[in-house]
Amino acid sequence: MLSDGVRVVVAGGVEHWVRVAGAHNGGVPLVLLHGGPGESCYSVEQSVGDELAKVSTVIFYDQRGCGRSAKPSEPATYTMSRLVADLEEIRSALGLDRIIPWGVSFGCLLAAEYAVAHANNVERLVLHAPPVVGPLHPGLWSLRPNAVDTFLAPGERTELRTQLDGMTDPIQRTFAAIGAISSSEHATRFFYYDPANMPAPDPAAPGMNMEMALALVGTERLDLADELAAITTPALVMIGLWDRHVGFDMARDLADRMPNAVLWIFDRSGHLIDEEQPAEYVEAISTFVRDAAR
C-alpha cells in the first residue's frame, strides 16, 4: 500500500526524488511526468498537484538529473529510452500494477513512449500540450521561429530575421528564436494568454538542467504518433487555445489519431494551462480519473 510522503527510489543507478500525495484516495495513481526537458515537477506540483491529490493518488517525481533527483554519473544516459526504463523501475519499486501517466509538454513524449512500450501497465493517459508530431508534420522546432516572430517588437523582429538569415539547422534557429523572445519586453505574451497570470518568481524552484535539455531536444520519433494511434488506451489531450510553444493543431491532430482520446480545450490559456486555468485543469483530470474508476 502506498503512503503519503517523500522517498528516494533508485532507478537506472540514479536516486530519484519521489513524493506520494493523496494515497488515501486509492485507485490507479496519476504519475506526473514533467516538462523541459531538464525542468522538474515543482511548478505543476505547486499549481495544481495538491488539488488533484484531494481526489486522486498522485505521484510526483523529478527525472534523472532534474530538480531534487541526483545527476547520473554518465550524461550519455540522458536518453528517452533510459527515461522510460526509469519510470518502469519506479512503478515496480512502488508496487504499482498500473499507472496513469500524466505528461506535461516534454513529459508527454515520455508518457507516450511509456504507453507504447508498456501498454499493459497503463490504465489511462493524460497529455497536457503534447509535442507529438506526425510523420508529415514539419516539426515543433521548424515552427518555433515563426511563433516567436509574431510577438516581437519591430526592431527585435528585424534583428531575429537577420540572425536567422542563412541559418538552416532547425535547432539552432529555435535557440535563436527562444533567445529573442526571452529578452523581449513582450516575452510574457508568448508564454501566457494573459500576462497577469504569470506567477511571481519562486526562490525555492529548482533550476533547469541544460545538459539534459541539450541532449534531448530534437530527438522526437516521427513515428510515435502512428504508434499511439495503434493503441486503445483512453487518453485525455489538453491544450490551451493560445499555446505558442506546441501549437493547438498538434494536440488536436493527435487526439484525432488516437481511437479513444478526448480533446479538452482551454480557451483562456497558453502553454501553461495549470497556471492560467487551474480550477478547470483540475476538473478535466478529475473527471477523466473518475471515469476510469467506474
Side-chain angles (χ1 to χ4, degrees):
M1 294 289 292
L2 285 177
S3 59
D4 286 358
V6 174
R7 65 206 72 190
V8 172
V9 176
V10 177
V14 172
E15 293 185 343
H16 286 70
W17 177 92
V18 177
R19 176 185 165 225
V20 177
H24 64 278
N25 293 303
V28 180
L30 287 159
V31 179
L32 175 60
L33 308 176
H34 63 73
E39 295 179 356
S40 75
C41 68
Y42 182 86
S43 63
V44 180
E45 187 185 4
Q46 296 296 310
S47 62
V48 296
D50 287 326
E51 284 301 307
L52 275 168
K54 294 178 180 178
V55 296
S56 175
T57 303
V58 183
I59 297 171
F60 307 96
Y61 83 95
D62 290 341
Q63 296 154 26
R64 62 173 46 227
C66 298
R68 295 149 289 190
S69 291
K71 291 188 176 182
S73 57
E74 294 294 334
T77 62
Y78 289 133
T79 66
M80 181 57 72
S81 61
R82 184 61 256 174
L83 294 179
V84 170
D86 286 344
L87 176 54
E88 174 61 4
E89 291 184 33
I90 291 170
R91 180 200 65 80
S92 179
L94 295 176
L96 303 172
D97 291 330
R98 294 167 75 81
I99 60 174
I100 303 175
W102 163 23
V104 176
S105 193
F106 165 79
C108 292
L109 295 174
L110 174 53
E113 293 281 10
Y114 183 85
V116 168
H118 300 281
N120 289 338
N121 299 334
V122 175
E123 180 78 12
R124 292 193 161 212
L125 196 57
V126 176
L127 303 174
H128 164 180
V132 179
V133 300
L136 301 183
H137 196 282
L140 174 66
W141 310 113
S142 295
L143 296 175
R144 183 59 56 82
N146 178 68
V148 166
D149 186 76
T150 304
F151 287 92
L152 297 176
E156 297 168 338
R157 183 176 297 118
T158 298
E159 184 178 346
L160 175 62
R161 293 179 180 182
T162 300
Q163 185 180 357
L164 295 178
D165 186 35
M167 186 184 294
T168 59
D169 180 77
I171 303 301
Q172 291 181 358
R173 290 172 62 86
T174 291
F175 281 119
I178 291 174
I181 195 64
S182 64
S183 61
S184 171
E185 61 180 310
H186 302 293
T188 53
R189 291 190 58 227
F190 179 77
F191 295 106
Y192 292 87
Y193 166 73
D194 182 352
N197 291 328
M198 184 175 70
D202 185 345
M208 186 169 185
N209 181 340
M210 286 302 300
E211 186 175 43
M212 179 182 183
L214 293 172
L216 285 163
V217 163
T219 62
E220 300 87 352
R221 291 195 302 117
L222 294 182
D223 52 356
L224 178 58
D226 286 343
E227 293 180 11
L228 281 176
I231 64 175
T232 58
T233 306
L236 170 65
V237 179
M238 303 188 295
I239 189 68
L241 184 60
W242 305 96
D243 190 324
R244 307 286 180 172
H245 278 269
V246 169
F248 176 83
D249 289 357
M250 196 177 299
R252 179 204 61 203
D253 293 347
L254 180 64
D256 265 350
R257 287 175 185 265
M258 299 180 70
N260 289 316
V262 58
L263 179 66
W264 198 302
I265 302 168
F266 296 80
D267 63 352
R268 301 187 310 281
S269 290
H271 190 61
L272 304 172
I273 310 168
D274 57 296
E275 294 180 3
E276 298 213 76
Q277 292 182 258
E280 294 92 334
Y281 189 98
V282 170
E283 178 189 0
I285 297 180
S286 299
T287 300
F288 186 65
V289 171
R290 281 197 301 269
D291 288 346
R294 291 173 182 168

